[in-house]
């Protein structure tokens, strides 16, 4: 019997959250205690999928699976940009998943995704070309190969988009079954109407395009994908596998069983969903039920389309009205709140489109003097963003020769302007239920940044144009008001200038205790820019007083810098947000530190709290290393330590000294640490710190297994369970199946007799 082919696809994506000046994500309160949603969802979904546990009946680990090795997937380029910087271990597993699937199947699991997740049928031709080219460049830079497939944002499609994909060498995409309009055999014109119920989704279809081009289209299994995404099929691994296996049995040997959902379904929407997935994948890998895992590209090579399809123009997977969800009050919404409407969608789309049209005109007219071919330069700019091409080689190939330094800088600024203008069309802005949400406000902030770069390169102020449209939109929340209110209260205050950026760099250095000495210099780096601060004068006591110097701001992928002089009177008492930072020769301009938006203050608070907490910890360790020797055994009827509350305040440092073997301890000391630790507020910090120390041990060339066991035994003696996830991950990669490490494996929670 031929095995039934199974392809499970995850679409991994996050709305763009970057600040368009610093190009980094600032704190989002709703994700706390995580810093922002990328970080939180990475911890709940992307990381667990990279290191999915399979457990035996005793709860010991049988296997840590990299699910990316066995599922088809696409990640948004903007999400991977963040992950590469902030979660490099998870990022490495994503790349490894593609590499290993390539070795196993001959085609990799990863496919590309439209760069900014824009709704392609609503984009101009130049935008479509740029979005596709940037996505392909990003993919190639990361995965080291050309992408064979492309995920369309919201599966939103029109023939022009498919044709541009085909022209760019993309071989297939994935759509929802109801996006098929009619189908016919390859060799006859016997077209019949398609419906979700009648469409045979087990094979790819050929969509014919102008000038003899074509592209293959897969239609995923709607009901099954629905059950995974919304009906709790992931609650139990055996339930999930049971459904897959029974569907497979029904159609054994008759094509591909393919399901596609948001990747975040695994672990974020359904806690432990990654374990259910890992279980199903392990069953399929073991050949249970004659199911064999594959991916779209592999299947396509083995089973070229036998039928043709025509699509519904301007259709998508999450709006039954086509693509209206991203420009009109069509009724599609994540949650329906009584009395709310989405009439704001039209004006938001119209306003951003009007701005973009003017930005494009400006780009093309100024660009005509600067680029050899301005459109071509824009389409190829993704190669610079992805690192496939250096700015120098790009400039050499695409800028007109003999430009002045100022003209070259203008060219780079125009490209950055286009990047943020494109970013303002990420589909998320229209997807949810209100104009006052974070996504529409971010889209407007990207437009604000693009307009600012336009103005710096000679374009008129487009704010009145944007506001003429925004004035027709309103939040459903009366307290947030209309489009103008949101713009004035939420968006415009985010506008940065070189002066305000300088002020933040100074406060950040202060928060981290890194302000330079007079005559010295320090730098603050964000992905979008770097600020170099020189200190010429510093007076007054430690926390306050007068400071002055010069600063230089270097923007990423631009060629000129913004330089200025500054002075800062830190107010009495030292509140860094209370004073005023003077900028320009003679301190001409006063930047009140209080202007800084909430998210950026929160980032400064985070910089401070990390720095201060680390200092406190260092101090406590120094003190407790000596003082813990003075925790004397109790006498007579003594039941607790004298001044127990004061010892308690140093609980985690005292525990650390014991666990790390810095001190030997009396029975009373251990009983005190155990008793006080039950609900100690520093418990999680401590389990994290010990976990990292254990992971550090396993990074060594030959880990000290005796010490590893000792640390875990000592932790157990005071009832502290270190967070061993990182250590287990490292162990799995480096030492599984190593007989000499067998005891360490058991200590770390792996099952006996772990196979290599
Ligand atoms: Zn709709």
């Amino acid at each position: 019997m031929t095995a039934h082919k199974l392809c499970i696809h995850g679409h991994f994506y996050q709305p763009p959250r970057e600040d368009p000046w610093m190009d980094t994500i600032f704190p989002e309160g709703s994700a706390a205690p995580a810093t922002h949603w990328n970080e939180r969802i990475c911890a709940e979904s992307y990381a667990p999928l990279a290191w999915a546990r399979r457990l035996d009946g005793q709860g010991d680990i049988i296997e840590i699976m990299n699910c990316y090795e066995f599922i088809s997937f696409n990640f948004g380029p903007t999400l991977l940009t963040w992950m590469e910087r902030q979660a490099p271990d998870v990022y490495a597993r994503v790349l490894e998943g593609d590499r290993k699937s390539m070795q196993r199947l001959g085609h990799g699991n990863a496919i590309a995704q439209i760069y900014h997740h824009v709704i392609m049928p609503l984009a101009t031709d130049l935008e479509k070309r740029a979005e596709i080219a940037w996505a392909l460049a990003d993919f190639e830079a990361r995965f080291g190969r050309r992408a064979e497939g492309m995920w369309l944002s919201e599966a939103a499609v029109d023939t022009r988009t498919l044709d541009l994909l085909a022209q760019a060498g993309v071989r297939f995409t994935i759509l929802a079954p109801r996006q098929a309009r009619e189908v016919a055999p390859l060799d006859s014109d016997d077209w019949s109407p398609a419906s979700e119920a009648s469409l045979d989704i087990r094979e790819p279809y050929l969509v014919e395009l102008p000038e003899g081009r074509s592209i293959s289209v897969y239609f995923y299994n709607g009901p099954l994908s629905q059950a995974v995404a919304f009906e709790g099929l992931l609650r139990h691994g055996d339930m999930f596998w049971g459904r897959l296996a029974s569907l497979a049995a029904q159609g054994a040997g008759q094509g591909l069983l393919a399901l596609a959902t948001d990747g975040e379904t695994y672990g974020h929407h359904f806690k432990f969903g990654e374990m259910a997935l890992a279980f199903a994948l392990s069953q399929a890998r073991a050949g249970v039920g004659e199911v064999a895992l594959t991916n779209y590209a592999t299947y396509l090579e083995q089973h070229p389309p036998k039928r043709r399809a025509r699509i519904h123009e301007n259709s998508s997977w999450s709006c039954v009205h086509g693509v209206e969800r991203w420009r009109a009050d069509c009724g599609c919404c994540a949650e329906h709140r009584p009395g709310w409407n989405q009439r704001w969608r039209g004006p938001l789309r119209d306003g951003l489109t009007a701005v973009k049209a003017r930005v494009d005109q400006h780009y093309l007219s100024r660009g005509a003097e600067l680029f050899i071919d301005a459109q071509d330069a824009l389409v190829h700019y993704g190669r610079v963003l992805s690192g496939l091409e250096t700015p120098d080689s790009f400039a050499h190939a695409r800028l007109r020769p003999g430009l002045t330094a100022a003209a070259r800088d203008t060219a780079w600024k125009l490209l950055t302007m286009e990047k943020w203008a494109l970013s303002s069309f990420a589909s998320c802005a229209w997807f949810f239920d209100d104009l006052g949400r974070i996504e529409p406000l971010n889209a407007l902030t990207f437009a604000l940044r693009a307009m600012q770069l336009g103005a710096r390169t000679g374009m008129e102020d487009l704010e009145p144009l944007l506001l003429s449209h925004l004035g027709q939109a309103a939040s459903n929340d009366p307290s947030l008001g209309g489009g103008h209110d949101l713009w004035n209260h939420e968006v415009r205050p985010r506008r940065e200038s070189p002066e305000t950026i300088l002020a933040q760099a100074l406060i950040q250095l202060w928060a981290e205790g890194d302000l330079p000495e007079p005559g010295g210099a320090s730098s603050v780096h964000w992905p979008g820019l770097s600020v170099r601060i020189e200190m010429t004068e510093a007076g007054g006591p430690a926390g306050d007083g007068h400071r002055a110097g010069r600063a230089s701001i270097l923007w990423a992928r631009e060629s000129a810098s913004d330089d200025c002089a500054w002075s800062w009177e830190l107010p009495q008492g030292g509140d860094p947000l209370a004073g005023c930072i003077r900028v320009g020769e003679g301190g001409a301009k006063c930047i009140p530190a209080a202007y800084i938006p909430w998210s950026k203050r929160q980032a400064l608070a985070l910089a401070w709290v990390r720095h201060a907490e680390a200092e406190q910890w260092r101090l406590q360790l120094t003190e407790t290393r000596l003082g813990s020797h003075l925790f004397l055994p109790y006498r007579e009827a003594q039941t607790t330590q004298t001044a127990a509350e004061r010892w308690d305040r140093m609980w985690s440092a005292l525990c650390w000294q014991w666990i790390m073997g810095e001190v030997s301890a009396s029975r009373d000391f251990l009983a005190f640490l155990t008793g006080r630790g039950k609900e100690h507020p520093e418990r999680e910090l401590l389990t994290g710190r010990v976990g990292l120390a254990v992971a550090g041990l396993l990074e060594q060339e030959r880990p000290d297994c005796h010490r590893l066991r000792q640390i875990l035994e000592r932790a157990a003696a005071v009832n502290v369970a270190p967070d061993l996830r990182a250590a287990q991950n490292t162990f799995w990669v480096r030492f599984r199946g190593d007989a000499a490490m067998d005891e360490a494996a058991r200590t770390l929670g792996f099952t006996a007799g772990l196979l290599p």
Side-chain angles (χ1 to χ4, degrees):
M1 196 169 108
T2 325
H4 194 88
K5 297 293 173 76
L6 171 66
C7 175
I8 300 176
H9 182 86
H11 159 56
F12 296 91
Y13 172 65
Q14 289 301 310
R17 313 197 141 93
E18 294 78 16
D19 172 83
W21 289 270
M22 276 76 159
D23 204 3
T24 194
I25 305 177
F26 283 91
E28 296 169 327
S30 58
T35 312
H36 48 66
W37 282 98
N38 276 29
E39 185 182 296
R40 181 154 158 193
I41 294 173
C42 188
E44 291 175 356
S45 177
Y46 311 145
L49 282 168
W51 314 95
R53 267 71 176 156
R54 289 185 50 232
L55 307 179
D56 64 15
Q58 281 74 52
D60 291 331
I61 300 169
I62 306 170
E63 181 185 15
I64 296 182
M65 187 191 289
N66 181 358
C67 295
Y68 303 116
E69 203 180 319
F70 303 104
I71 63 170
S72 167
F73 62 84
N74 71 280
F75 272 88
T78 48
L79 175 55
L80 285 183
T81 300
W82 172 83
M83 190 184 281
E84 184 180 12
R85 288 174 195 148
Q86 300 299 324
D89 54 336
V90 182
Y91 179 69
R93 292 284 272 189
V94 170
L95 300 189
E96 184 195 73
D98 183 64
R99 208 164 48 238
K100 290 200 168 166
S101 64
M102 184 98 179
Q103 289 161 6
R104 196 176 74 249
L105 299 167
H107 296 270
N109 279 342
I111 66 171
Q113 183 212 286
I114 295 299
Y115 196 88
H116 288 106
H117 208 266
V118 308
I119 298 300
M120 290 294 265
L122 299 180
T124 66
D125 227 56
L126 180 58
E127 288 165 354
K128 285 184 169 107
R129 285 170 54 211
E131 286 286 329
I132 292 170
W134 292 19
L136 291 176
D138 186 85
F139 187 96
E140 190 178 338
R142 296 181 191 286
F143 294 99
R145 63 181 180 86
R146 302 274 303 163
E148 296 185 81
M150 174 93 68
W151 182 265
L152 294 173
S153 340
E154 302 289 350
V157 71
D158 59 1
T159 297
R160 180 62 182 157
T161 298
L162 291 180
D163 193 26
L164 288 171
L165 286 179
Q167 288 183 38
V170 175
R171 296 174 53 219
F172 67 89
T173 189
I174 302 147
L175 300 177
R178 60 177 165 72
Q179 292 178 266
R181 185 162 59 86
E182 48 189 358
V183 295
L186 269 193
D187 50 8
S188 90
D189 266 332
D190 184 15
W191 288 95
S192 55
S195 74
E196 187 164 2
S198 69
L199 186 71
D200 182 353
I201 54 175
R202 293 171 300 181
E203 298 292 341
Y205 288 79
L206 195 75
V207 174
E208 290 166 327
L209 301 165
E211 296 165 11
R213 286 181 293 272
S214 65
I215 191 168
S216 296
V217 173
Y218 283 98
F219 297 98
Y220 62 78
N221 187 309
L224 179 61
S225 305
Q226 187 80 5
V228 172
F230 303 109
E231 294 158 22
L233 200 54
L234 293 176
R235 247 174 258 132
H236 301 287
D238 45 3
M239 201 162 92
F240 181 42
W241 170 246
R243 178 76 75 93
L244 292 177
S246 79
L247 280 169
Q250 286 165 28
Q254 298 170 31
L256 180 70
L257 176 61
L259 68 148
T261 64
D262 284 339
E264 293 79 11
T265 308
Y266 306 101
H268 172 58
H269 299 309
F270 291 102
K271 199 170 164 61
F272 303 125
E274 85 285 358
M275 294 178 78
L277 176 63
F279 176 76
L281 294 173
S282 72
Q283 296 296 95
R285 283 167 62 202
V288 178
E290 308 257 351
V291 174
L293 293 168
T294 189
N295 60 32
Y296 288 117
T298 305
Y299 191 87
L300 188 61
E301 188 192 288
Q302 296 161 350
H303 305 87
K306 295 195 274 283
R307 277 169 289 195
R308 293 180 286 165
R310 289 174 179 154
I311 54 157
H312 283 292
E313 293 291 335
N314 302 338
S315 60
S316 71
W317 79 338
S318 60
C319 169
V320 292
H321 314 95
V323 292
E324 296 309 302
R325 184 171 190 158
W326 298 277
R327 66 177 172 193
D329 185 11
C330 71
C332 288
C333 199
E335 20 177 342
H336 287 277
R337 301 207 213 186
W340 281 35
N341 67 68
Q342 279 72 52
R343 287 197 285 272
W344 52 272
R345 283 179 183 158
L348 180 65
R349 168 69 59 179
D350 294 344
L352 290 174
T353 303
V355 166
K356 181 64 166 49
R358 188 61 198 97
V359 159
D360 284 349
Q361 270 176 18
H362 174 64
Y363 172 82
L364 292 173
S365 68
R366 288 279 346 239
E369 315 145 16
L370 304 169
F371 299 106
I372 293 165
D373 179 331
Q375 293 207 18
D376 207 43
L378 178 57
V379 171
H380 282 87
Y381 182 53
R383 297 179 62 79
V384 179
L385 293 174
S386 68
L388 274 187
E389 204 170 309
T390 64
D392 279 348
S393 79
F394 180 88
H396 183 73
R398 319 227 169 249
L399 292 189
R400 289 187 181 278
L403 294 180
T404 63
R408 290 168 79 88
D409 188 56
T410 299
W412 288 114
K413 281 186 165 56
L414 290 174
L415 289 164
T416 309
M417 169 189 76
E418 280 285 351
K419 168 182 139 104
W420 291 113
L422 275 170
S423 201
S424 74
F425 289 98
S427 65
C428 333
W430 292 267
F431 190 81
F432 298 101
D433 59 0
D434 197 57
L435 179 63
R437 277 185 62 108
I438 192 168
E439 297 85 1
L441 298 180
N442 281 346
L444 289 167
T445 308
F446 301 147
L448 173 69
R449 172 76 169 124
M451 293 180 340
Q452 187 188 43
L453 281 159
R456 262 198 94 165
T457 51
M459 185 179 71
E460 77 276 18
D461 180 9
L462 298 187
E463 196 172 320
L465 173 67
L466 179 59
L467 288 182
S468 70
H469 293 277
L470 268 191
Q472 298 160 44
S475 167
N476 286 291
D477 178 351
S479 72
L480 295 178
H484 286 184
D485 300 310
L486 285 164
W487 178 262
N488 291 330
H489 300 146
E490 298 292 335
V491 181
R492 200 200 269 132
R494 299 180 185 178
R495 172 158 44 199
E496 299 283 6
S497 63
E499 291 89 356
T500 60
I501 285 166
L502 162 60
Q504 283 171 73
L506 274 170
I507 298 172
Q508 175 153 337
L509 287 176
W510 172 89
E512 292 177 337
D514 274 341
L515 275 174
E517 296 296 320
S522 293
S523 290
V524 181
H525 300 283
W526 287 283
L529 58 95
S530 303
V531 187
R532 185 183 144 85
I533 304 261
E534 286 171 31
M535 181 84 79
T536 50
E537 303 165 36
D544 48 18
H546 170 79
R547 311 255 191 290
R550 297 198 59 82
S552 177
I553 298 175
L554 264 174
W555 300 85
R557 290 177 294 271
E558 292 180 24
S559 47
S561 64
D562 288 306
D563 304 321
C564 56
W566 59 269
S567 66
W568 187 15
E569 304 292 334
L570 264 155
Q572 285 273 312
D575 174 359
L577 299 181
C580 160
I581 291 166
R582 295 198 161 271
V583 183
E585 300 307 328
K589 219 176 194 174
C590 164
I591 308 294
Y595 96 91
I596 302 172
W598 181 91
S599 61
K600 289 176 179 171
R601 289 174 185 225
Q602 196 63 30
L604 293 169
L606 192 62
W608 173 80
V609 82
R610 282 186 178 144
H611 167 69
E613 197 272 339
E615 287 288 297
Q616 291 270 326
W617 178 246
R618 199 175 50 77
L619 196 65
Q620 279 197 25
L621 288 186
T622 311
E623 295 287 346
T624 52
R625 186 167 296 131
L626 307 171
S628 51
H629 295 289
L630 291 175
F631 194 106
L632 304 181
Y634 301 163
R635 298 202 74 176
E636 300 169 345
Q638 185 176 358
T639 57
T640 189
Q641 183 54 270
T642 308
E645 302 310 317
R646 290 177 194 276
W647 287 92
D648 183 57
R649 283 204 49 199
M650 288 177 284
W651 173 84
S652 61
L654 292 167
C655 274
W656 175 269
Q657 304 297 8
W658 155 251
I659 292 170
M660 289 299 144
E662 300 282 343
V663 291
S664 52
S666 66
R667 207 186 52 194
D668 293 332
F669 188 24
L670 295 186
F672 179 84
L673 293 179
T674 308
R676 291 282 168 170
K678 276 182 191 126
E679 286 178 7
H680 202 282
E682 291 186 23
R683 207 178 160 80
E684 212 175 308
L685 267 176
L686 181 69
T687 57
R689 280 195 167 114
V690 177
L692 284 181
V694 173
L697 269 183
L698 290 168
E699 300 282 352
Q700 289 165 8
E701 179 64 27
R702 241 13 248 182
D704 182 343
C705 294
H706 174 70
R707 179 157 171 74
L708 172 73
R709 197 186 62 227
Q710 211 176 41
I711 289 174
L712 295 182
E713 280 173 1
R714 282 167 174 258
V718 289
N719 198 26
V720 165
D723 179 350
L724 291 178
R725 281 172 299 180
Q728 290 163 343
N729 295 348
T730 304
F731 183 90
W732 178 260
V733 170
R734 292 194 62 199
F735 302 115
R736 69 169 181 271
D738 180 340
M741 297 289 283
D742 211 36
E743 194 201 321
R746 298 291 294 143
T747 313
L748 287 169
F750 289 95
T751 193
L754 210 55
L755 293 173

